Short mmCIF file of all heavy atoms in Angstrom, two decimals:
data_model
loop_
_atom_site.label_atom_id
_atom_site.label_comp_id
_atom_site.label_asym_id
_atom_site.label_seq_id
_atom_site.Cartn_x
_atom_site.Cartn_y
_atom_site.Cartn_z
N PHE A 51 -7.23 12.23 10.07
CA PHE A 51 -8.20 11.18 9.77
C PHE A 51 -8.67 10.44 11.02
O PHE A 51 -9.51 9.55 10.94
CB PHE A 51 -7.60 10.17 8.78
CG PHE A 51 -7.31 10.75 7.43
CD1 PHE A 51 -6.03 11.10 7.06
CD2 PHE A 51 -8.34 10.96 6.53
CE1 PHE A 51 -5.76 11.64 5.80
CE2 PHE A 51 -8.09 11.50 5.27
CZ PHE A 51 -6.79 11.84 4.90
N VAL A 54 -5.27 5.08 13.01
CA VAL A 54 -3.88 4.61 13.15
C VAL A 54 -3.31 4.16 11.79
O VAL A 54 -4.06 3.73 10.93
CB VAL A 54 -3.76 3.40 14.11
CG1 VAL A 54 -3.98 3.81 15.54
CG2 VAL A 54 -4.72 2.30 13.71
N TYR A 55 -1.99 4.27 11.64
CA TYR A 55 -1.33 3.79 10.43
C TYR A 55 -1.18 2.27 10.45
O TYR A 55 -1.24 1.61 9.43
CB TYR A 55 0.05 4.46 10.26
CG TYR A 55 -0.10 5.85 9.72
CD1 TYR A 55 -0.41 6.92 10.55
CD2 TYR A 55 0.02 6.09 8.35
CE1 TYR A 55 -0.58 8.20 10.04
CE2 TYR A 55 -0.15 7.37 7.83
CZ TYR A 55 -0.45 8.41 8.67
OH TYR A 55 -0.62 9.67 8.16
N PHE A 56 -0.91 1.72 11.62
CA PHE A 56 -0.81 0.26 11.78
C PHE A 56 -0.98 -0.01 13.26
O PHE A 56 -0.76 0.87 14.09
CB PHE A 56 0.53 -0.29 11.26
CG PHE A 56 1.73 0.33 11.90
CD1 PHE A 56 2.30 -0.23 13.04
CD2 PHE A 56 2.30 1.48 11.38
CE1 PHE A 56 3.42 0.35 13.63
CE2 PHE A 56 3.41 2.07 11.97
CZ PHE A 56 3.97 1.50 13.11
N GLU A 91 -1.30 -0.61 -4.28
CA GLU A 91 -1.73 -0.30 -2.90
C GLU A 91 -2.38 1.09 -2.86
O GLU A 91 -1.87 2.03 -3.45
CB GLU A 91 -0.52 -0.31 -1.96
CG GLU A 91 -0.92 0.01 -0.51
CD GLU A 91 0.28 0.16 0.42
OE1 GLU A 91 1.23 0.91 0.06
OE2 GLU A 91 0.27 -0.46 1.49
N LEU A 92 -3.47 1.21 -2.12
CA LEU A 92 -4.08 2.52 -1.88
C LEU A 92 -3.67 2.97 -0.48
O LEU A 92 -4.19 2.46 0.51
CB LEU A 92 -5.61 2.43 -1.98
CG LEU A 92 -6.20 1.80 -3.25
CD1 LEU A 92 -7.72 1.93 -3.27
CD2 LEU A 92 -5.60 2.43 -4.50
N GLY A 93 -2.70 3.88 -0.39
CA GLY A 93 -2.27 4.40 0.92
C GLY A 93 -0.94 3.81 1.35
O GLY A 93 -0.89 2.79 2.03
N PHE A 94 0.17 4.50 0.99
CA PHE A 94 1.51 3.98 1.31
C PHE A 94 1.83 4.12 2.79
O PHE A 94 2.47 3.24 3.40
CB PHE A 94 2.56 4.70 0.47
CG PHE A 94 3.96 4.24 0.73
CD1 PHE A 94 4.39 3.00 0.30
CD2 PHE A 94 4.85 5.04 1.44
CE1 PHE A 94 5.69 2.55 0.56
CE2 PHE A 94 6.15 4.61 1.70
CZ PHE A 94 6.57 3.36 1.26
N GLY A 95 1.45 5.26 3.39
CA GLY A 95 1.65 5.48 4.83
C GLY A 95 3.07 5.28 5.29
O GLY A 95 4.01 5.91 4.80
N SER A 96 3.26 4.36 6.23
CA SER A 96 4.59 4.11 6.80
C SER A 96 5.37 3.06 6.02
O SER A 96 6.51 2.78 6.36
CB SER A 96 4.41 3.61 8.24
OG SER A 96 3.77 2.35 8.21
N GLY A 97 4.72 2.43 5.03
CA GLY A 97 5.41 1.42 4.23
C GLY A 97 5.33 0.01 4.81
O GLY A 97 5.97 -0.91 4.28
N LEU A 98 4.53 -0.19 5.85
CA LEU A 98 4.51 -1.51 6.48
C LEU A 98 4.13 -2.62 5.47
O LEU A 98 4.80 -3.66 5.41
CB LEU A 98 3.52 -1.52 7.66
CG LEU A 98 3.40 -2.84 8.43
CD1 LEU A 98 4.74 -3.26 9.03
CD2 LEU A 98 2.33 -2.76 9.51
N ASN A 99 3.09 -2.39 4.67
CA ASN A 99 2.68 -3.43 3.71
C ASN A 99 3.78 -3.72 2.69
O ASN A 99 3.96 -4.85 2.25
CB ASN A 99 1.42 -3.01 2.94
CG ASN A 99 0.21 -2.94 3.84
OD1 ASN A 99 0.14 -3.62 4.86
ND2 ASN A 99 -0.76 -2.12 3.47
N LEU A 121 0.29 4.78 -3.70
CA LEU A 121 0.04 6.22 -3.81
C LEU A 121 -0.08 6.81 -2.42
O LEU A 121 -0.43 6.11 -1.47
CB LEU A 121 -1.23 6.48 -4.63
CG LEU A 121 -2.55 5.86 -4.14
CD1 LEU A 121 -3.25 6.76 -3.13
CD2 LEU A 121 -3.47 5.60 -5.33
N GLU A 122 0.23 8.09 -2.32
CA GLU A 122 0.20 8.72 -1.00
C GLU A 122 -0.02 10.22 -1.13
O GLU A 122 0.77 10.91 -1.76
CB GLU A 122 1.52 8.43 -0.25
CG GLU A 122 1.57 9.01 1.15
CD GLU A 122 0.37 8.65 2.00
OE1 GLU A 122 0.13 7.45 2.22
OE2 GLU A 122 -0.35 9.57 2.44
N GLY A 123 -1.11 10.71 -0.53
CA GLY A 123 -1.43 12.14 -0.61
C GLY A 123 -0.86 12.96 0.54
O GLY A 123 -0.77 14.18 0.44
N TYR A 124 -0.51 12.31 1.63
CA TYR A 124 -0.08 13.02 2.84
C TYR A 124 1.18 12.36 3.38
O TYR A 124 1.18 11.76 4.46
CB TYR A 124 -1.20 12.98 3.91
CG TYR A 124 -2.55 13.39 3.37
CD1 TYR A 124 -3.36 12.47 2.70
CD2 TYR A 124 -3.00 14.70 3.51
CE1 TYR A 124 -4.59 12.85 2.17
CE2 TYR A 124 -4.23 15.09 3.00
CZ TYR A 124 -5.01 14.15 2.34
OH TYR A 124 -6.22 14.53 1.82
N GLY A 188 0.33 12.33 -4.21
CA GLY A 188 -0.82 13.15 -4.63
C GLY A 188 -2.11 12.47 -4.24
O GLY A 188 -2.11 11.39 -3.63
N ASP A 189 -3.21 13.10 -4.61
CA ASP A 189 -4.52 12.55 -4.26
C ASP A 189 -4.82 11.31 -5.10
O ASP A 189 -4.37 11.21 -6.24
CB ASP A 189 -5.60 13.62 -4.48
CG ASP A 189 -6.93 13.14 -3.95
OD1 ASP A 189 -7.09 13.08 -2.73
OD2 ASP A 189 -7.81 12.79 -4.78
N ILE A 190 -5.63 10.44 -4.54
CA ILE A 190 -5.99 9.19 -5.24
C ILE A 190 -6.53 9.46 -6.64
O ILE A 190 -6.18 8.75 -7.58
CB ILE A 190 -6.98 8.34 -4.40
CG1 ILE A 190 -7.26 7.02 -5.09
CG2 ILE A 190 -8.25 9.09 -4.06
CD1 ILE A 190 -7.99 6.00 -4.23
N ASP A 206 -6.01 0.06 1.57
CA ASP A 206 -5.60 0.35 2.94
C ASP A 206 -5.67 1.85 3.26
O ASP A 206 -4.73 2.42 3.79
CB ASP A 206 -4.16 -0.16 3.15
CG ASP A 206 -3.78 -0.22 4.63
OD1 ASP A 206 -4.68 -0.14 5.49
OD2 ASP A 206 -2.58 -0.35 4.93
N GLY A 207 -6.81 2.48 2.93
CA GLY A 207 -6.87 3.93 3.05
C GLY A 207 -7.56 4.47 4.30
O GLY A 207 -8.42 5.32 4.19
N PHE A 208 -7.22 4.01 5.46
CA PHE A 208 -7.93 4.34 6.71
C PHE A 208 -9.36 3.80 6.61
O PHE A 208 -9.77 3.31 5.57
CB PHE A 208 -7.95 5.85 7.02
CG PHE A 208 -6.61 6.42 7.38
CD1 PHE A 208 -6.15 7.59 6.78
CD2 PHE A 208 -5.82 5.82 8.33
CE1 PHE A 208 -4.91 8.13 7.12
CE2 PHE A 208 -4.58 6.36 8.68
CZ PHE A 208 -4.14 7.51 8.07
N ASN A 213 -12.57 8.21 6.10
CA ASN A 213 -11.92 8.72 4.89
C ASN A 213 -12.68 8.27 3.64
O ASN A 213 -12.19 7.46 2.86
CB ASN A 213 -10.46 8.21 4.84
CG ASN A 213 -9.69 8.86 3.72
OD1 ASN A 213 -10.10 9.90 3.20
ND2 ASN A 213 -8.59 8.25 3.35
N ASP A 215 -13.27 9.55 0.76
CA ASP A 215 -12.68 9.78 -0.58
C ASP A 215 -11.96 8.56 -1.13
O ASP A 215 -11.99 8.28 -2.33
CB ASP A 215 -11.62 10.89 -0.51
CG ASP A 215 -12.26 12.25 -0.52
OD1 ASP A 215 -13.51 12.32 -0.51
OD2 ASP A 215 -11.49 13.25 -0.52
N MET A 216 -11.28 7.85 -0.23
CA MET A 216 -10.46 6.71 -0.65
C MET A 216 -11.33 5.54 -1.12
O MET A 216 -10.84 4.63 -1.78
CB MET A 216 -9.66 6.28 0.56
CG MET A 216 -8.19 6.16 0.54
SD MET A 216 -7.16 6.80 -0.64
CE MET A 216 -5.69 5.93 -0.15
C1 SAM B 16 -3.99 3.34 6.87
S1 SAM B 16 -2.83 4.40 6.13
C2 SAM B 16 -1.88 3.32 5.13
C3 SAM B 16 -1.00 2.41 5.92
C4 SAM B 16 0.07 1.86 5.04
N1 SAM B 16 -0.39 0.97 4.02
C5 SAM B 16 1.18 1.25 5.85
O1 SAM B 16 1.57 0.12 5.49
O2 SAM B 16 1.69 1.92 6.75
C6 SAM B 16 -3.77 5.23 4.84
C7 SAM B 16 -2.94 6.15 3.97
O3 SAM B 16 -3.75 6.70 2.94
C8 SAM B 16 -3.38 8.05 2.72
N2 SAM B 16 -4.52 8.77 2.14
C9 SAM B 16 -5.70 9.05 2.74
N3 SAM B 16 -6.53 9.67 1.90
C10 SAM B 16 -5.88 9.82 0.71
C11 SAM B 16 -6.24 10.38 -0.55
N4 SAM B 16 -7.43 10.93 -0.76
N5 SAM B 16 -5.33 10.32 -1.54
C12 SAM B 16 -4.10 9.75 -1.33
N6 SAM B 16 -3.72 9.20 -0.15
C13 SAM B 16 -4.59 9.23 0.86
C14 SAM B 16 -3.05 8.54 4.13
O4 SAM B 16 -2.22 9.66 4.12
C15 SAM B 16 -2.38 7.32 4.75
O5 SAM B 16 -0.99 7.36 4.61
#
Side-chain angles (χ1 to χ4, degrees):
F51 294 102
V54 288
Y55 281 82
F56 57 91
E91 180 187 49
L92 307 187
F94 179 72
S96 66
L98 181 60
N99 293 334
L121 58 87
E122 181 52 59
Y124 310 83
D189 188 72
I190 184 168
D206 195 14
F208 291 132
N213 188 18
D215 279 4
M216 234 15 192

